[in-house]
Amino acid sequence: MPVEFLSDEQAAGFASFQGPPTRVQLEKYFFLDDADREAIDTKRRDHNRLGFAVQLGVARLLRRFLPDPRQVPAEVVDYLAQQLGITDPSCIKLDGQRDGTARTHAGEIEKASGWIDFAEVEPGLARWIAARAFTTGEGPKALFDAAVAELRSRPVLMPGVHRLARLVAREREKATKRLWDSLYDLLNDEQRRVLAELVEVPAGARISTLERLRRPVVKASGPQMERALERVAEIAALGVGEVDVSVIPPRRMAELWRYGMDGKATLIDRHGAERKLATLLATVVHLTTRSVDDALDLLDLLIATRLLARAERESSKEKLRTLPRVERASATLAEAVRVLIEATDDQVDVATGEILAPGLASIDEVWAAIEAVVSRQQLTAALEAIIELTPPADSDADEAWRAMLVGCFAMVRPFLPQLCEVIQFGATAEGRPVLAALRTLPSLMGRKRVTPEEINASLLIGSWRRLVLRAPHLQEGQVDWKAYAFCVLEQFHRLLRRREIFAINSSKWGDPGAKLLQGPVWEALRPTVLASLRLPEQPGTYLTRQAETLDAAYREVAGRLPANTSAGMGDDGRLHLAALEPVPEPDSLVALREAVEAMMPRVDLPEVLLEVFSWTGADAAFTSITGEAARLADLPISIAALLVAHGCNVGMTPVIGGAKALRRDRLSHVDQTYLRLATYKAANATLIDAQAGIGLAQVWGGGPVASVDGMRFVVPTATIHARPNPKYFGRGRGATWLNMLNDQASGLGGMVVAGTPRDSLYVLDVLYDRDGGKRPEMIVTDTASYSDIVYGLLTLAGFSYAPQLADLPDQNPRAREHAGPLLLRPARAAGRVATAG
């Protein structure tokens, strides 16, 4: 019987020969030194000597003794016989004729070589497995492999596969129970009651409180923002999110809250009290932070797109609408001014060059000359139009849209009083005045009279000063508190994005410096961090080396430029490269493409998935969210159908069939229980490993070169993750799928980000959260993923960065040492030089 979490092949292959050993293995484990020969020479017959030698080498390789030495591959026997001078290796057949010989040999080898019996280390290994299981939350197969590696690191003989597997399963179960009990014990009776009520459906409701709190607000509007803040307040009011869970490893907490966020409330409710409350506690702790992140994401979207961007668009439209009136009024005034200048300037006699007095001596004559061209009524109307349609001389370009923004106060009125009450903010020295002003806004809202002494006038930058202090409708000694509210809100939004203002209990919008290692903690970890990043103790050494590398690159590039007919320096001091002409496809490539397309079979997508499952076993990665073993027959069929439904975005209807595995209720259950981010990533890792083992993929490369790039998609539904980007989405909104591939496979990792930010902000996230594949050495990106900061961070992290830049004058990569082709670019201050190495 195979062990539950091991396949038949894995159980059978444990501590046994998987085919003949390699030459390297023979020389490492079966080479007989002088001490070995001395022990072997105590045996009289050839078959005893050879059998003893076999057991000696097998113990080194497999960490166990074979009950019958004749089970070893013939290559092992031949290699040992050759060393012992035994001409007939087949004599090994005689070694097992007498009962007890193998056991006697094993006892002698164990005593002489210092091998330790597994029973002696089993208690310590059990504690090691329990600690690792509690800390990492690894599955039984990963723990089993780790236990084998731990045993092999010491002179310990391997136990039977079933004995070790039962030990792993038992200790893992204990660690999981310990996790649940530890979290359960952190709660008092009232907190346990509150958590238990989360999975219940309140009277008059259709869903449980947990399901309702898990759903974020996705529409950008004032009332929806108010709802998002109410969600933050409701979760905080549970009084559970502040429970100190620092004693629990973060990975185990993440394991629990992912289950709590994805699993059905009814399924969670069916668990025992310890597991249920532990899951709910982890979920609420996560929601406490997640709700703040969601609310500030929505605030960012609301201010950026519904307020600032809309006000700018509307003000631009208003300028275009009034432009004809401004042009006509300006032309009228220009005619009058021209006549005025001509009538009042000194006159010059063309014949003699004599300067004469102005031709018109009185104001009446001047007006008569002007009215001959433009009537006084037209002139007055033009002047009024100019005063009405153009900003004052001391205004700025932002006044028009800021004035229009003030008219949108109804959008922020619902949530502005709650913002600082519900979310706790902190700030740097630069952000503290703005944060203090934001906290005073609720006391100003709705009042008929607000004086300048009640506001922070130092925040009134640019046209905000005029709009707040000198608005036309204001009485003397009053300020426009609506304009002041938007002045503060605009600066709050800008500083929040820069994290000069940050949310205390937030992951995405929190203080970026809070997680930096400082003080004694940094000093303790500094040697390890620097060693892992291969950085010297003193930064000056590293910077000097980088400066020397950059200088050498400058000189190398400058020396090669004169001979490069495709590159040259322009009069503006910038590099100009000749356009690359497209290379026509050779006939052989066209023929190959047609031949490959003709050979591709026409099959249904589910059949392709099922065949790939049979090759790779990727379907085994789709485990139950409960952690229990799958109890469904033909589960791969259901998974393949759901992958097609989700991948093609067609829903379940097209894949529902008469087979039991394709019924609607079965598919719905599998979708909610087996398909989630963790299982997708695990299945993808299996596919990546299988792809790397294909001979053709190995011809393409070894995996050290990787590329990160984004694909942008229009998102037709309302979501806070879809942002406007006219370049890619036109009048709609969209998101970016940031994907990573290497020279062997695509889809090594990815993440969905909003369609507005640059890809470079997320390159490191993708690199360090890849699903599988080797750690890349060289990272290639396009222009959109390039930035100076990314260049520096990738360099410090040990990656070679090779940005492929499409627009040279607008970029500024730092040249650095690189073993392969790299586009080297110096800083703007040093000039524009580049080469394709």
Side-chain angles (χ1 to χ4, degrees):
M1 290 292 291
V3 179
E4 182 180 353
F5 56 82
L6 296 177
S7 66
D8 293 348
E9 294 77 10
Q10 290 171 328
F14 173 75
S16 61
F17 285 98
Q18 302 298 305
T22 65
R23 183 69 184 180
V24 173
Q25 289 176 320
L26 288 173
E27 294 170 349
K28 180 176 182 180
Y29 298 107
F30 294 95
F31 179 79
L32 303 175
D33 57 22
D34 295 343
D36 296 336
R37 291 176 180 273
E38 184 177 346
I40 294 171
D41 288 342
T42 61
K43 312 304 173 189
R44 293 178 298 170
R45 299 179 180 87
D46 285 350
H47 63 269
N48 291 134
R49 296 171 60 233
L50 188 55
F52 188 91
V54 166
Q55 291 283 46
L56 191 65
V58 167
R60 294 169 180 166
L61 175 62
L62 303 182
R63 297 301 182 92
R64 61 175 296 196
F65 295 109
L66 296 178
D68 186 351
R70 293 172 296 182
Q71 297 172 339
V72 299
E75 289 80 358
V76 173
V77 178
D78 294 341
Y79 182 73
L80 290 171
Q82 182 181 4
Q83 295 182 74
L84 296 174
I86 298 175
T87 57
D88 182 16
S90 65
C91 68
I92 190 69
K93 298 177 182 178
L94 303 176
D95 187 57
Q97 289 183 346
R98 187 171 67 86
D99 292 339
T101 300
R103 291 194 298 272
T104 303
H105 288 177
E108 293 178 10
I109 294 172
E110 181 177 350
K111 182 178 180 180
S113 301
W115 291 110
I116 303 173
D117 189 81
F118 177 73
E120 298 181 30
V121 301
E122 185 174 9
L125 181 66
R127 291 190 295 271
W128 183 88
I129 294 173
R132 186 181 179 101
F134 181 80
T135 305
T136 66
E138 292 175 335
K141 180 62 171 63
L143 283 175
F144 183 86
D145 293 340
V148 171
E150 175 66 15
L151 289 174
R152 293 189 67 87
S153 67
R154 295 183 283 171
V156 178
L157 295 173
M158 289 290 179
V161 61
H162 292 80
R163 182 178 180 182
L164 182 58
R166 284 194 297 269
L167 176 64
V168 168
R170 182 174 65 251
E171 296 303 324
R172 182 173 183 268
E173 184 177 354
K174 288 181 181 178
T176 303
K177 184 68 168 57
R178 175 189 165 195
L179 171 68
W180 299 338
D181 292 342
S182 299
L183 288 171
Y184 182 87
D185 292 340
L186 293 176
L187 301 168
N188 57 40
D189 292 340
E190 176 62 20
Q191 291 169 334
R192 291 169 186 168
R193 182 191 64 80
V194 170
L195 288 176
E197 291 178 351
L198 290 179
V199 291
E200 300 175 359
V201 180
R206 300 180 60 185
I207 60 175
S208 66
T209 304
L210 175 64
E211 290 175 290
R212 178 173 56 81
L213 293 178
R214 290 188 306 195
R215 298 178 179 178
V217 178
V218 296
K219 294 183 179 180
S221 67
Q224 293 297 312
M225 183 65 206
E226 186 179 18
R227 283 186 55 198
L229 292 175
E230 290 173 353
R231 176 174 176 245
V232 174
E234 183 177 0
I235 293 172
L238 295 175
V240 179
E242 300 303 323
V243 174
D244 184 9
V245 294
S246 59
V247 295
I248 307 299
R251 289 182 60 177
R252 301 313 307 272
M253 289 293 292
E255 173 188 327
L256 286 173
W257 68 248
R258 288 194 182 101
Y259 176 33
M261 292 294 291
D262 297 336
K264 295 180 181 178
T266 54
L267 184 63
I268 297 173
D269 193 28
R270 288 202 297 265
H271 294 310
E274 291 80 7
R275 182 178 182 182
K276 177 174 74 173
L277 294 182
T279 301
L280 292 174
L281 172 58
T283 304
V284 173
V285 170
H286 170 69
L287 280 174
T288 303
T289 301
R290 177 68 177 272
S291 61
V292 175
D293 288 345
D294 291 341
L296 293 181
D297 282 342
L298 186 61
L299 178 66
D300 176 50
L301 179 64
L302 179 65
I303 294 177
T305 63
R306 298 295 301 276
L307 291 174
L308 300 180
R310 176 177 290 184
E312 291 182 10
R313 289 196 306 270
E314 295 299 327
S315 66
S316 298
K317 291 179 181 178
E318 182 65 19
K319 287 181 181 179
L320 291 176
R321 188 181 65 81
T322 60
L323 185 59
R325 287 184 60 196
V326 174
E327 290 177 342
R328 290 194 298 270
S330 299
T332 300
L333 292 177
E335 285 293 324
V337 172
R338 182 182 60 79
V339 173
L340 176 63
I341 292 175
E342 291 178 353
T344 57
D345 274 356
D346 294 337
Q347 305 294 311
V348 179
D349 189 329
V350 179
T352 64
E354 181 182 359
I355 299 177
L356 306 176
L360 302 178
S362 65
I363 294 178
D364 292 338
E365 291 176 332
V366 172
W367 270 113
I370 293 175
E371 289 182 327
V373 179
V374 180
S375 68
R376 185 172 298 198
Q377 183 179 2
Q378 291 175 319
L379 196 59
T380 301
L383 180 60
E384 291 175 351
I386 291 296
I387 294 175
E388 175 189 354
L389 301 177
T390 58
D394 60 346
S395 181
D396 57 25
D398 298 328
E399 182 167 348
W401 67 263
R402 284 175 173 170
M404 191 164 291
L405 187 64
V406 176
C408 301
F409 189 78
M411 188 175 295
V412 302
R413 182 186 290 274
F415 68 85
L416 199 54
Q418 295 177 271
L419 186 59
C420 287
E421 294 180 6
V422 172
I423 300 178
Q424 184 181 1
F425 291 102
T428 62
E430 183 179 351
R432 288 190 194 107
V434 176
L435 181 58
L438 182 72
R439 289 170 173 159
T440 63
L441 291 183
S443 64
L444 306 179
M445 293 174 55
R447 291 172 49 184
K448 294 183 178 180
R449 179 182 177 85
V450 178
T451 63
E453 291 76 18
E454 298 179 81
I455 66 172
N456 186 348
S458 64
L459 301 180
L460 304 179
I461 56 176
S463 52
W464 281 124
R465 177 170 294 276
R466 175 187 298 279
L467 294 171
V468 174
L469 300 178
R470 299 196 297 273
H473 64 279
L474 292 177
Q475 298 179 6
E476 186 177 354
Q478 292 185 2
V479 300
D480 187 341
W481 58 267
K482 292 183 180 179
Y484 178 69
F486 273 113
C487 170
V488 173
L489 198 58
E490 180 196 353
Q491 296 181 64
F492 168 78
H493 179 242
R494 175 175 54 83
L495 294 176
L496 182 66
R497 281 188 163 184
R498 291 169 46 188
R499 305 303 189 270
E500 301 291 345
I501 296 177
F502 47 85
I504 301 298
N505 193 10
S506 174
S507 175
K508 181 177 180 180
W509 299 92
D511 181 9
K515 296 182 180 180
L516 294 177
L517 299 177
Q518 299 178 5
V521 177
W522 163 242
E523 293 301 328
L525 295 177
R526 180 176 179 177
T528 303
V529 174
L530 293 180
S532 64
L533 296 177
R534 299 178 181 177
L535 295 175
E537 285 285 339
Q538 300 300 324
T541 304
Y542 178 80
L543 295 176
T544 300
R545 186 169 67 246
Q546 294 299 314
E548 293 173 351
T549 302
L550 180 59
D551 180 70
Y554 283 149
R555 298 179 184 277
E556 179 187 358
V557 171
R560 292 161 56 183
L561 271 180
N564 192 337
T565 58
S566 299
M569 302 298 296
D571 296 335
D572 56 358
R574 294 181 174 181
L575 175 70
H576 297 274
L577 297 180
L580 294 176
E581 298 296 333
V583 178
E585 294 183 349
D587 295 339
S588 59
L589 177 60
V590 175
L592 177 62
R593 182 185 298 118
E594 294 175 350
V596 171
E597 290 177 354
M599 289 187 293
M600 294 296 291
R602 296 181 63 84
V603 295
D604 291 336
L605 282 178
E607 294 179 10
V608 174
L609 288 172
L610 290 172
E611 189 169 359
V612 171
F613 286 167
S614 69
W615 297 340
T616 63
D619 55 302
F622 292 96
T623 56
S624 172
I625 196 172
T626 63
E628 300 173 354
R631 296 180 293 181
L632 294 172
D634 297 327
L635 181 60
I637 297 177
S638 302
I639 291 174
L642 288 168
L643 291 178
V644 171
H646 294 325
C648 297
N649 199 26
V650 295
M652 290 188 189
T653 302
V655 298
I656 293 174
K660 186 176 181 180
L662 298 177
R663 293 177 182 173
R664 177 181 289 276
D665 56 347
R666 160 78 171 253
L667 292 176
S668 177
H669 172 77
V670 173
D671 187 24
Q672 298 180 68
T673 309
Y674 292 88
L675 270 63
R676 58 193 186 278
L677 179 60
T679 55
Y680 276 123
K681 292 173 71 70
N684 192 34
T686 302
L687 297 178
I688 293 169
D689 292 340
Q691 171 76 7
I694 298 175
L696 180 59
Q698 295 171 358
V699 172
W700 293 338
V705 181
S707 175
V708 179
D709 196 10
M711 295 183 289
R712 291 175 170 83
F713 299 91
V714 174
V715 178
T717 59
T719 169
I720 60 175
H721 300 295
R723 300 294 178 95
N725 192 332
K727 179 179 179 181
Y728 301 103
F729 310 130
R731 298 177 63 86
R733 296 182 180 184
T736 299
W737 167 247
L738 203 58
N739 189 27
M740 177 180 174
L741 56 88
N742 66 4
D743 49 8
Q744 287 186 333
S746 62
L748 274 68
M751 63 184 301
V752 177
V753 299
T756 304
R758 291 172 62 94
D759 297 351
S760 59
L761 300 175
Y762 301 95
V763 169
L764 283 173
D765 291 291
V766 176
L767 289 175
Y768 280 99
D769 193 31
R770 64 187 186 278
D771 296 343
K774 295 181 179 179
R775 184 183 188 273
E777 300 173 5
M778 180 194 300
I779 307 302
V780 181
T781 67
D782 61 9
T783 306
S785 293
Y786 164 74
S787 76
D788 284 351
I789 293 178
V790 172
Y791 211 122
L793 289 176
L794 286 174
T795 301
L796 288 175
F799 297 101
S800 296
Y801 188 31
Q804 306 300 302
L805 306 181
D807 189 3
L808 289 177
D810 295 332
Q811 301 300 325
N812 180 27
R814 302 291 188 260
R816 63 186 294 266
E817 184 178 5
H818 186 58
L822 172 63
L823 186 66
L824 300 178
R825 292 289 315 285
R828 290 184 176 88
R832 303 268 177 179
V833 183
T835 181

